[in-house]
Amino acid sequence: AAVSELLGKVSAKYALVFFDANRAVKINDYLKSVDDSVFEFVGPLVTPEPGEKPLSIALREINDGLLDHTEG
């Protein structure tokens, strides 16, 4: 996804970075907990590509409109 497309989904580039980073942490926590059979985190909402990092997965979710973003 182009950065300009992603920026259209938030009010500022800093909001995008914060939104993406928070979601990536949740995806990473989920991926770590799968082996322990602890499912308190929501996994990826898109099918990850082989070797794809949580940050990239989160950006694809944002671009696909799968997450609701609220600024506080």
Side-chain angles (χ1 to χ4, degrees):
V3 174
S4 59
E5 291 175 29
L6 291 165
L7 288 174
K9 301 184 184 293
V10 294
S11 65
K13 60 184 172 184
Y14 302 106
L16 176 62
V17 170
F18 184 76
F19 186 31
D20 184 41
N22 281 332
R23 179 61 183 139
V25 167
K26 291 176 185 175
I27 292 170
N28 197 40
D29 288 343
Y30 169 82
L31 295 174
K32 287 180 180 178
S33 70
V34 169
D35 293 336
D36 299 332
S37 298
V38 177
F39 298 106
E40 64 182 273
F41 303 102
V42 175
L45 302 175
V46 295
T47 303
E49 300 293 329
E52 188 174 24
K53 305 291 183 195
L55 197 62
S56 297
I57 296 168
L59 284 172
R60 287 200 304 126
E61 291 177 343
I62 293 168
N63 190 55
D64 291 350
L66 300 174
L67 302 172
D68 291 328
H69 173 68
T70 55
E71 296 180 28

